Amino acid sequence: MSGVSKAMSKFRLAVVQLAVTKVKSDNLQRACSLVKEAAGQGAKVVVLPECFNSPYGTGFFAEYAEKIPGESTQALSEAAKESAVFLVGGSIPEEDGGKLFNTCSVFGPDGKILVKHRKIHLFDIDVPGKIRFQESETLSPGCSLSMFETPFCKVGVGICYDMRFAELAQIYARKGCQLLVYPGAFNMTTGPAHWELLQRARAVDNQVYVATASPARDETASYVAWGHSTVVNPWGEVITKAGSEESVVYADIDLQYLSDVRQQIPITTQRRNDIYSVSAVNEG
């Protein structure tokens, strides 16, 4: 394999499906505890869910928002360093310059922040009789791509609604990402309809691994998350999937398998760049 030794071609990924409460300190403590648990099971990359430190909802974002660095990111930095893992810190409501963002911070095994992804596509939907949600009522969108390097592979980051946009995944894959991670909280309408379908589509379209981390389902919350955090392989197969309750699920990422899939169905070399292209206009 190009640039990847046999020892580095496999690594364990953990997805933490956290039960989020209204008590921020409890959420942080529980998240850090589960990161440690995941590392104890051999995980080298750990992913937390969207909005892991606060309830999800436009009425909560301002109340729970923090600067970065701040309380939540400091806790994640220490957790990453303590367990020597790459930690994709789900997302938190971030306050910066009077604006609020839905932001994912990624930390290296030394505890240093590697990248900060502000959700690019805001979740503004209206399905009559089922769900209406407008993130743009309180949040501002991010404006940049977010990727980070590990000793295993390059990783692309999106948050929830970002996953619906195939172009983002295509650009990440074109830039060498072999794993895409999407902390996300789909709901009881979009979850059963599209959650797994979108992950499998992004994975098979780009011949990459795709991982999602959802909060656990809380039927009493104002916004009920679907759960079912998942990892999909480059063949489009679901290789691990959580239920609706709090749990940590694991997947062994095999980059040699990814390479084999790309050789068997070589779409990466068969693209008609003379007819079409997908490109980044602003990489941030």
Side-chain angles (χ1 to χ4, degrees), residues 256-275:
Q256 181 59 55
Y257 174 74
L258 180 149
S259 181
D260 292 345
V261 166
R262 289 184 174 185
Q263 285 176 348
Q264 292 161 13
I265 304 179
I267 56 172
T268 50
T269 59
Q270 295 169 329
R271 284 202 178 89
R272 290 294 305 273
N273 296 317
D274 57 322
I275 301 175

Side-chain angles (χ1 to χ4, degrees), residues 169-201:
Q170 288 167 17
I171 290 165
Y172 281 158
R174 191 72 63 89
K175 290 183 173 295
C177 296
Q178 295 178 305
L179 168 65
L180 306 182
V181 293
Y182 295 97
F186 275 42
N187 53 67
M188 301 300 286
T189 298
T190 62
H194 300 145
W195 176 245
E196 184 180 301
L197 173 65
L198 285 165
Q199 294 172 69
R200 295 182 69 192

Side-chain angles (χ1 to χ4, degrees), residues 13-46:
L13 172 74
V15 177
V16 176
Q17 184 163 289
L18 183 73
V20 177
T21 71
K22 290 186 176 180
V23 183
K24 185 189 284 188
S25 58
D26 288 353
N27 296 330
L28 293 177
Q29 186 178 3
R30 186 83 186 123
C32 291
S33 168
L34 291 173
V35 169
K36 192 172 183 178
E37 178 185 312
Q41 294 296 316
K44 301 299 182 189
V45 179
V46 182

